[in-house]
Amino acid sequence: MSEAEDGTTRDGGERAPGERAPGDAPAPVSSDTHTTLTVWIALAANLVIAVAKLGGGLFAGSPALLSEAAHSVADSLNEVFLLAALRRSKRPADPGHPFGYGKERYFWALLAAVGIFVMGGCFSVFQGVEALRSSGGESTSGYVVGLVVLGVAFLAEGTSLARALIQVRGQGGGIGSDPALRTVVAEDATAVLGVLLAVAGMALHMTTGQVAYEAAASLAIGVLLLLVAFKLGADARDQLIGEGADPETREAITAYLDAQPEIDGIATLLTMRLGQDSLLVAARVDLAPGHESERLELIMERVKAGLTARWPEAGQVFLDVTEAPEATKDDTGPDLTA
């Protein structure tokens, strides 16, 4: 059985996160094709649903249905942002952007979060407040049409959510590493829950004649959207600022460097995500004594080639030879990594 089959390295240990064994087939370059299809499906669903909700909301005069229409409009605009992110983030590096455009993905994800916050959350809260301030004598004669619209919307949003979850389950790394996919899943899950809240509010309004139930549904939809937008925005902010590799990957890279016979100690290890499939690794290492300066370049190139082979996403690797402090030569654990 090969290393690729039993999941271990040649020394008998378990393979580190993201590490590829020598016999493994080349990993797929990116899951962007699947993500793009998922975003297009979500965009098509949201455009149709937005028109239906807006028409139904105006016909029925339902604040909850109008809130859901604003939600779908915001989601549609956000899908356009995500499509722009998927396209622009794949541009090759150039002199002005030597590390590429991978972080564009995070920028457009941040704009999508702002869109959810303003167009979806704030408008829904406004609709709820306006409904509470009304006299409460609104007619519910058109609500049957509104409920039918919401039923169709539930099926469409559920289908889009199922497609996104199938992709999450089928790809490595889960949902957190891909801001576009993360945003689609969050939007669709929120949309499904929002439809259920709107249905409950409209049904209670029809049954009791009290608009307060529908106003509460609009407020709940608004608060839900505000919370989702805040979480998505916070994640995009962290990635834009410069997020390091996950702790397991950092520890595995540290162990790999420390295992090299030419390296006596690791003074510093720094990592940063440059995009969806791009990682920068910079390390200051202390070489073991007895190596001639002529061999230094060959040693560094071999170590870098081995690291890139095991972690293909590490497209930018920088090794700096330094004299490590005595205290670090016997302690190169994960606490020395950043």
Side-chain angles (χ1 to χ4, degrees):
M1 181 180 292
S2 66
E3 293 178 28
E5 293 172 328
D6 65 10
T8 60
T9 59
R10 292 189 184 279
D11 58 7
E14 292 186 359
R15 211 154 51 241
E19 181 181 349
R20 191 201 303 172
D24 285 344
V29 175
S30 173
S31 60
D32 280 0
T33 300
H34 300 293
T35 301
T36 301
L37 179 59
T38 298
V39 175
W40 273 112
I41 291 174
L43 175 59
N46 279 314
L47 285 174
V48 173
I49 293 169
V51 173
K53 287 178 180 178
L54 181 60
L58 293 175
F59 177 76
S62 166
L65 195 50
L66 288 175
S67 296
E68 274 299 294
H71 181 185
S72 294
V73 170
D75 286 352
S76 300
L77 182 60
N78 293 338
E79 259 93 57
V80 174
F81 287 157
L82 297 179
L83 289 172
L86 290 169
R87 180 175 180 179
R88 295 176 64 86
S89 65
K90 303 307 292 183
R91 289 182 295 171
D94 55 42
H97 298 83
F99 294 111
Y101 291 82
K103 287 196 174 185
E104 282 234 32
R105 207 167 185 134
Y106 310 141
F107 169 75
W108 291 99
L110 180 61
L111 289 186
V114 173
I116 295 174
F117 186 92
V118 176
M119 297 178 59
C122 292
F123 182 81
S124 296
V125 171
F126 171 77
Q127 282 293 118
V129 172
E130 285 296 301
L132 287 175
R133 293 173 57 187
S134 66
S135 61
E138 293 84 353
S139 172
T140 59
S141 58
Y143 273 35
V144 174
V145 174
L147 290 173
V148 171
V149 170
L150 287 176
V152 174
F154 181 81
L155 293 176
E157 297 285 12
T159 301
S160 179
L161 176 61
R163 159 71 196 190
L165 292 177
I166 288 173
Q167 183 183 341
V168 171
R169 185 175 181 179
Q171 73 177 31
I175 187 177
S177 61
D178 189 341
L181 184 58
R182 180 175 63 233
T183 302
V184 170
V185 172
E187 286 179 350
D188 288 344
T190 306
V192 169
L193 184 55
V195 167
L196 294 177
L197 289 172
V199 168
M202 292 176 66
L204 288 171
H205 186 186
M206 292 177 64
T207 303
T208 65
Q210 298 295 320
V211 73
Y213 290 107
E214 197 168 352
S218 292
L219 289 172
I221 293 170
V223 171
L224 178 63
L225 290 172
L226 292 176
L227 292 174
V228 170
F230 180 81
K231 179 61 171 67
L232 291 175
D235 290 342
R237 177 204 61 193
D238 291 342
Q239 292 169 322
L240 273 175
I241 292 172
E243 195 172 45
D246 59 86
E248 292 80 6
T249 299
R250 292 201 304 267
E251 291 174 7
I253 293 175
T254 300
Y256 164 77
L257 293 174
D258 193 43
Q260 305 307 306
E262 299 89 350
I263 295 178
D264 196 32
I266 305 168
T268 306
L269 175 65
L270 302 173
T271 62
M272 185 170 66
R273 290 283 174 189
L274 300 176
Q276 173 67 15
D277 301 304
S278 181
L279 177 68
L280 181 148
V281 178
R284 289 182 176 178
V285 299
D286 177 39
L287 291 184
H291 295 289
E292 299 177 357
S293 58
E294 292 81 3
R295 295 191 57 216
L296 179 61
E297 182 176 352
L298 295 176
I299 292 173
M300 292 296 98
E301 289 300 321
R302 182 189 63 77
V303 173
K304 287 195 290 185
L307 192 151
T308 303
R310 287 166 172 76
W311 291 275
E313 61 182 353
Q316 302 287 344
V317 180
F318 302 92
L319 298 180
D320 179 29
V321 177
T322 184
E323 181 66 26
E326 289 297 325
T328 67
K329 292 187 177 182
D330 297 324
D331 184 7
T332 57
D335 58 313
L336 293 178
T337 65

